[in-house]
Amino acid sequence: RIVDDMLELSRLGGGSRRLRLGQFDPGRLAHEAAESFRLSGNSRVALHLEVAAGLPRLEADAELVGRVLTNLLDNARRFARGRVRLAVRQEPAALPNGTLPAHASRALDAAGGRAVAFVVSDDGPGIAPEDLEVVFEKFARLKNPPATADGAISRDASFGPE
C-alpha cells in the first residue's frame, strides 16, 4: 500500500490523475473506513465511530477522500494508547478568518453554509506545537516526533490535504 500511496502522490502532484467527482454518502464512507480499520487485525486499539444524522451527500472524489480518511485512521492507530475516534458531522464552513473559499461559496450556500467534517482523534501523545505547521506538508519530517504506541519513533508525515 505504501508504493500505491507514493504513486498516487506522484500522479496528483504531476497533474496526471484527474479527480473523479461524484456524489457519495459521507456516513457510508466512514462506516467503510471503520470496517477496514477493524478488519486490519490490530485489536489493541478500539475505534469509536460517531456519524451525525441527516448529513448531506458530498460532491467529491470519494476514492481520494476515503484514502485520506484511511491514512488518518492508520496514523491515529499507530500513536493511540487504546482508542481512536472518528466523528462525521456538519460544522460551519468558514475559514479561520471567517471567509469562505471562492470555489466553495456556491456549494456551501446550497447547503446552508455548513460543511461535513471528518474528525479523527486518538488518546496518544499528540503533536508538538512546533510541528503543527509542518505536519501536513508532503514528506514532512517532524522536529519532535512522538513515540508510537509500541515505543518506536516516527518522524514522517504524509498524504496531507493535497
Side-chain angles (χ1 to χ4, degrees):
R1 194 171 108 197
I2 292 172
V3 172
D4 289 339
D5 286 347
M6 298 301 289
L7 289 170
E8 187 71 21
L9 280 171
S10 175
R11 284 191 290 270
L12 286 170
S16 64
R17 190 207 190 266
R18 299 177 77 83
L19 292 177
R20 295 181 203 109
L21 298 178
Q23 288 199 358
F24 66 93
D25 176 352
R28 181 173 175 203
L29 184 72
H31 281 282
E32 290 169 359
E35 184 65 16
S36 176
F37 181 97
R38 290 181 179 121
L39 291 175
S40 68
N42 184 340
S43 61
R44 179 187 62 77
V45 177
L47 175 67
H48 180 71
L49 176 63
E50 298 171 15
V51 178
L55 294 172
R57 293 182 63 78
L58 298 180
E59 174 102 19
D61 187 323
E63 180 183 345
L64 284 180
V65 173
R67 289 185 76 171
V68 169
L69 187 55
T70 297
N71 184 269
L72 291 171
L73 288 169
D74 287 347
N75 284 340
R77 178 199 327 257
R78 286 178 48 212
F79 296 99
R81 291 183 186 100
R83 184 181 49 82
V84 171
R85 179 175 166 260
L86 168 57
V88 186
R89 61 182 183 242
Q90 280 191 284
E91 294 184 344
L95 296 174
N97 66 4
T99 64
L100 294 175
H103 66 277
S105 298
R106 289 186 303 274
L108 294 173
D109 288 344
R114 301 187 60 80
V116 174
F118 295 86
V119 182
V120 176
S121 59
D122 63 69
D123 61 355
I127 299 168
E130 58 271 19
D131 285 331
L132 289 175
E133 296 273 331
V134 300
V135 73
F136 286 110
E137 291 178 14
K138 192 172 9 177
F139 309 117
R141 305 278 294 172
L142 303 182
K143 295 175 189 171
N144 297 298
T148 60
D150 62 6
I153 299 293
S154 177
R155 296 188 64 84
D156 297 314
S158 63
F159 234 10
E162 295 183 343

